[in-house]
Amino acid sequence: ASITLQLPSTVQAILAARIDRLAPEEKALLQQLSVIGREFPLSLVRQVIPQPEADLYRLLASLQRKEFLYEQPAFPEVEYIFKHALTQEVAYGTVLHEHRKRLHERTGQALETVYPATLPEHYSDLAHHYRRSANTEKAIEYLHLAGQHAVRRSAYTEAINDLTAALELLRTQPDTTKRAQRELSVHVTLGPALITTKGWAAWEVGQAYARA
């Protein structure tokens, strides 16, 4: 009798099978790391994942040996990076939605703790994590700050994306004076970015200023 081999038909399926074969604590760590990002310093991992250091180092070393991660020399501390972007994507897809939201919020809080002196450099990452958490207030705050920071760098397309996302989240909030003030502030930042990219006569520019 012939035997039919059932082989995974996609690279994603092969990666998912490899992740599934990990020991439970290795798999749990890989999933947590996938929420933090493609690359991350050790101090951030320590802050997000409440685990004894000896266990954390042992698991990180194991994930390196199995070629899920590799260590990247960096100053002032070592960084880790997912060997393949697709590995991070597949691991991220296996994290339950509510747990994922909690991890994104913990990562945002960790960034605030680890980088207090250079926070503007991390506004985009903070906006990314809080936007995917349940903390809408912080998501709006950092999307606005990231948009302002992008305008100062003349990264107008990036600014428009961040500020538009902030406005979309603001519309989900109760219609209060505080919301109106924040929306006005976001529109005032958005207007010049739209003018620079689309010109004075653009419909989006008129809409932004009319709303403001």
Side-chain angles (χ1 to χ4, degrees):
S2 63
I3 297 170
T4 306
L5 292 175
Q6 295 298 316
L7 296 175
S9 57
T10 64
V11 176
Q12 284 95 328
I14 294 167
L15 283 169
R18 280 196 69 213
I19 292 167
D20 253 357
R21 286 195 297 271
L22 288 170
E25 54 182 356
E26 292 173 341
K27 182 178 176 181
L29 178 61
L30 193 73
Q31 289 172 318
Q32 289 170 314
L33 296 174
S34 74
V35 176
I36 296 173
R38 173 82 197 277
E39 55 186 283
F40 34 83
L42 185 55
S43 58
L44 197 61
V45 177
R46 280 204 209 101
Q47 198 71 35
V48 175
I49 299 165
Q51 198 161 21
E53 278 199 19
D55 291 343
L56 190 58
Y57 290 137
R58 174 176 57 80
L59 292 170
L60 285 167
S62 179
L63 290 172
Q64 285 178 78
R65 280 195 308 276
K66 295 178 180 181
E67 299 192 327
F68 286 97
L69 306 174
Y70 65 84
E71 200 174 286
Q72 190 166 249
F75 181 82
E77 61 173 331
V78 69
E79 291 187 347
Y80 294 90
I81 184 166
F82 273 86
K83 191 159 186 183
H84 302 291
L86 195 55
T87 304
Q88 182 206 352
E89 187 184 310
V90 171
Y92 185 84
T94 65
V95 185
L96 294 174
H97 184 64
E98 285 305 312
H99 186 44
R100 192 186 295 173
K101 289 199 317 196
R102 287 194 297 273
L103 283 169
H104 275 300
E105 181 156 12
R106 271 214 315 259
T107 305
Q109 292 166 345
L111 285 165
E112 291 169 328
T113 302
V114 174
Y115 301 113
T118 56
L119 212 55
E121 294 171 21
H122 301 279
Y123 283 159
S124 288
D125 287 337
L126 283 156
H128 165 83
H129 287 294
Y130 278 116
R131 190 179 177 187
R132 286 157 181 77
S133 78
N135 195 333
T136 307
E137 184 71 23
K138 279 283 183 84
I140 293 165
E141 177 189 345
Y142 282 116
L143 282 165
H144 189 194
L145 286 168
Q148 289 174 322
H149 194 56
V151 167
R152 286 195 289 273
R153 292 184 288 108
S154 302
Y156 295 111
T157 303
E158 185 183 322
I160 290 165
N161 289 338
D162 288 335
L163 296 167
T164 303
L167 289 172
E168 285 169 4
L169 285 178
L170 273 165
R171 290 186 196 109
T172 69
Q173 300 303 289
D175 191 3
T176 61
T177 304
K178 183 183 175 184
R179 190 193 93 166
Q181 288 169 337
R182 294 194 74 171
E183 192 180 343
L184 172 61
S185 184
V186 173
H187 275 297
V188 167
T189 311
L190 178 61
L194 288 170
I195 289 166
T196 304
T197 54
K198 299 178 183 292
W200 276 99
W203 173 81
E204 296 93 335
V205 174
Q207 189 185 43
Y209 280 107
R211 176 64 180 162

